[in-house]
């Protein structure tokens, strides 16, 4: 699977794998794809540096990238404490009641919340970037909005390509105007933050909107057949996130969560504001049901909701409270039915792609 | 574009075109596709007979099909008047207020409501079938649920293939158990009634669920590139509905509606219960906004909602009241930017498909 973009990055296959786990990112790059580490959960810059160093030693020289959440709009001098103070008491009560209803134990005294998404705070993302520029990162992706102009400039000065996720042609044009190099068109069916336009429609719309910039198709892609579909739609590559969650290299916090993912069907996800405040596709759980119930409070805007629920998510994960246990994941979760190595998944992807190409050629009478 | 299914039906291209307009259905079949006439708006069996006769004379001998809405569950002795009587007064008031707020004139005295979807009433659908079996219809599609066993038997006795639309693998398995021949996997991005699973995920899930039955991919398909994607996902053909709405042969009630479709972007549709009581994708309008507003009444279940709003829709269409004017249409509406003949659309589809095949072969290194 070679395109102009994959050749430019020097990878064998135009398959980009997004993952929060260093071992998965490195294995994707070793398999001939392009591994991209998600940085949003790294609160401490030195932990990110340690993991990038590990990746760098484990890709056999293959290139890799980093995904940050860099807000284009700067809010000067706002600290985490300032934001915490904006959370209404009623919302804190609702979290406490929901946890109590499912008898979720407290964290032991002295144990801090492990699940804490702070990477979208300006100062945290800036510190992550300072680390990234110390490594031979080849691609910097921005998960929400266009990256600030100075970040794009700095990346380009380091020879790093800049990508940004878009859920609509309008977002995509905005990214292009911001001087980025690659647009990831993330469809409705994707895990994590998504818009309402499905990949089948979004991909060609974005390709047209940002021409001649290369576009990666994201959302609903977890097999080689789906890769062929994304590339047929005009993408120069595909961006896969969910499919790696059940690989052997993934470090999910909870065994029960892995089992839940393996058992889930394509209708078992929901696009909900319950986790971050912005619509993000995730497993449907008693937690998302509670927040999506019109009789309860509305989720708070980002970043308040993420801070509000951080400790709750840690407690749910630590004690594996089944009805509440979830994770961002796309509709392809229905196809994730066995735990396998990244290499095995990758081999399936390339084999499935070749099968799809054979099939299309037969249908086109070129068989 | 030839598959086992298209060969079995004797058509040049595995492209199925669903349309409420006889002239469009005939033109699709003449162009080498398979035209399917939607019967749901025919209240009178003799009008359907007249239009099928017209199609039969205008397809140059090419095959064509009929799409009915045949409820599997029979409700004995329920008339339209019985159902009308179940509509709450508050809902009638809400309709009247919404129309008044937009100054929609009354129909002239004596003019009946033209927009009246009664085809899902058991007795109406049965009368439609009696007509259909008088014509050399090659395919009978059922738009909602599995068709009743006696209808499947009767169709098979006439050598007619039976198709049914499915929005989930579970629906699709149910159809297979009902003895049908073809499943139309209709994704979230489709116009009209849809589930929540996008075409990119739904198609392979349904292919796997009903193997070895042939599957048509529906939803988000309006270009040859999107056809290639649908076929790469394992479908034996594609089912297109929206793209024909802005063809020269289509008989939309309102010029302004055509212009609205041509101007709409991919984000200008909404999945709403405002029109039929079941979630159906349509243009987002002041009408869908009114029904989707949580402060207003909930739409009624099917078939009540369709009966409730029938006269209102006729009035909106007749007087072309712009803010309220809408129609079922899929997210591909953003790609429908020019009024063209069915033949021109079809030529674009085949050319786009060939382009996509070239592209995929280049990426696969078979160029």
């Amino acid at each position: 699977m070679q395109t102009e973009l994959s050749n430019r990055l020097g990878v064998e296959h135009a398959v980009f794998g997004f993952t929060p786990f260093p071992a998965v990112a490195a294995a994707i790059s070793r398999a001939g794809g392009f591994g991209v580490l998600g940085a949003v959960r790294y609160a401490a810059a030195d932990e990110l540096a340690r993991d990038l160093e590990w990746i760098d030693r484990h890709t056999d020289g293959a290139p890799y990238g980093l995904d940050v959440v860099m807000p284009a709009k700067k809010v000067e001098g706002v600290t985490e404490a300032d934001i915490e103070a904006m959370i209404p008491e009623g919302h804190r009560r609702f979290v406490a009641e929901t946890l109590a209803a499912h008898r979720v134990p407290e964290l032991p005294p002295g144990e801090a919340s492990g699940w804490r998404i702070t990477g979208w705070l300006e100062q945290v993302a800036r510190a992550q970037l300072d680390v990234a520029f110390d490594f031979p990162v080849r691609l910097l992706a921005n998960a929400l909005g266009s990256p600030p102009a100075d970040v794009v400039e700095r990346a380009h000065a380091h020879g790093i390509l800049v990508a940004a996720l878009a859920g609509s042609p309008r977002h995509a044009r905005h990214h292009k105007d911001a001087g980025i190099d690659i647009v990831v068109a993330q469809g409705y069916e994707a895990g994590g933050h998504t818009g309402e336009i499905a990949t089948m429609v979004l991909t060609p719309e974005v390709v047209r909107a940002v021409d001649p910039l290369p576009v990666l198709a994201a959302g609903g892609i977890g097999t080689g057949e789906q890769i062929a579909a994304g590339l047929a739609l005009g993408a120069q590559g595909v961006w896969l996130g969910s499919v790696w969650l059940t690989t052997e290299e993934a470090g999910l916090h909870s065994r029960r969560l892995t089992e839940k993912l393996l058992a889930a069907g394509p209708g078992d996800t929901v696009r909900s504001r319950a986790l971050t405040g912005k619509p993000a596709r995730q497993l449907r759980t008693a937690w998302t049901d509670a927040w999506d119930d019109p009789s309860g409070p509305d989720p708070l805007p980002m970043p308040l909701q993420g801070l509000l629920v951080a400790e709750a998510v840690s407690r749910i994960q630590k004690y594996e409270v089944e009805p509440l246990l979830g994770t961002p994941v796309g509709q392809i979760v229905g196809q994730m039915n066995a735990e396998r190595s990244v290499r095995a998944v990758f081999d399936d992807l390339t084999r499935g792609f070749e099968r799809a190409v054979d099939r299309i050629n037969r249908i086109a009478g070129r068989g």
Side-chain angles (χ1 to χ4, degrees), chain A:
Chain A
M1 285 169 254
Q2 298 204 349
T3 63
E4 214 179 299
L5 179 63
S6 66
N7 290 336
R8 191 164 160 199
L9 285 166
V11 293
E12 194 185 345
H13 298 296
V15 175
F16 294 72
F18 166 82
T19 173
F21 306 116
V24 175
I28 292 166
S29 287
R30 278 201 311 276
F34 190 96
V36 179
L37 181 71
V40 77
R41 297 204 185 165
Y42 290 88
D46 59 338
E47 283 174 29
L48 178 61
R50 186 200 60 202
D51 281 358
L52 281 176
E53 203 179 309
W54 188 93
I55 290 177
D56 205 55
R57 277 186 288 115
H58 288 85
T59 57
D60 300 343
Y64 58 91
L66 187 71
D67 180 280
V68 296
V69 182
M70 188 77 218
K73 267 180 272 173
K74 213 168 169 162
V75 190
E76 290 289 351
V78 175
T79 67
E80 199 175 322
D82 296 335
I83 296 175
E84 286 270 9
M86 294 163 71
I87 297 174
E89 203 37 57
H91 279 72
R92 294 200 187 276
R93 211 161 39 234
F94 181 74
V95 169
E97 284 164 7
T98 306
L99 295 174
H102 291 274
R103 293 190 201 79
V104 182
E106 303 265 354
L107 293 178
E111 184 169 324
S113 167
W115 194 92
R116 196 148 194 93
I117 295 189
T118 51
W120 53 55
L121 297 173
E122 167 88 14
Q123 61 272 36
V124 177
R126 291 271 167 190
Q128 291 174 348
L129 287 174
D130 288 339
V131 169
F133 290 127
D134 284 342
F135 289 86
V137 163
R138 289 296 310 279
L139 175 90
L140 197 64
N142 199 34
L144 273 179
S146 299
D150 68 298
V151 172
V152 176
E153 267 177 45
R154 208 170 146 201
H156 286 169
H158 280 77
I160 299 175
L161 294 180
V162 180
L165 271 74
S168 73
R170 193 175 51 80
H171 287 165
R173 274 187 294 266
H174 195 264
H175 292 332
K176 190 186 181 192
D177 293 344
I180 67 147
D181 307 290
I182 300 165
V183 176
V184 182
Q186 169 125 319
Y188 165 84
E189 55 269 62
H193 294 122
T194 72
E196 302 216 359
I197 307 173
T199 300
M200 187 69 95
V201 175
L202 184 65
T203 310
E205 288 271 5
V206 170
V207 166
R208 196 170 45 163
V210 302
D211 180 68
L213 286 191
V215 171
L216 304 180
I221 304 183
T223 66
E225 287 80 0
Q226 287 160 333
I227 291 177
L231 296 173
L233 294 171
Q236 283 217 18
V238 289
W239 174 274
L240 282 65
S242 301
V243 74
W244 318 111
L245 287 175
T246 48
T247 57
E248 290 159 4
E249 290 90 339
L252 283 185
H253 307 270
S254 151
R255 182 68 220 159
R256 237 178 249 180
L257 180 55
T258 301
E259 280 155 19
K260 227 173 158 176
L261 287 170
L262 294 172
D268 291 336
T269 71
V270 66
R271 194 169 158 267
S272 165
R273 296 177 52 222
L275 207 54
T276 70
K278 278 187 189 283
R281 186 171 299 286
Q282 50 201 290
L283 274 187
R284 183 180 165 184
T285 65
W287 179 258
T288 62
D289 284 351
W291 283 101
D292 294 338
D293 185 337
S295 70
D298 273 348
L300 298 170
M302 179 181 275
L304 300 185
Q305 183 74 7
L307 289 171
L308 169 64
V309 307
E311 195 201 286
V313 173
S314 289
R315 287 165 60 184
I316 293 164
Q317 287 180 345
K318 182 181 176 83
Y319 299 107
E320 302 189 299
V321 185
E322 217 280 330
L324 298 166
L325 200 56
T327 182
V329 70
Q331 292 186 335
I332 67 151
V333 70
Q335 309 163 14
M336 293 156 51
N337 302 320
E339 228 174 331
R340 294 173 305 159
S341 67
V342 168
R343 168 61 77 175
V345 170
F346 216 90
D347 287 349
D348 262 11
L349 294 177
T350 54
R351 268 195 303 263
F353 175 73
E354 295 296 331
R355 263 198 317 270
V357 177
D358 290 344
R359 179 181 160 74
I360 282 288
N361 277 318
R362 267 199 313 277
I363 292 173
R366 307 192 192 177

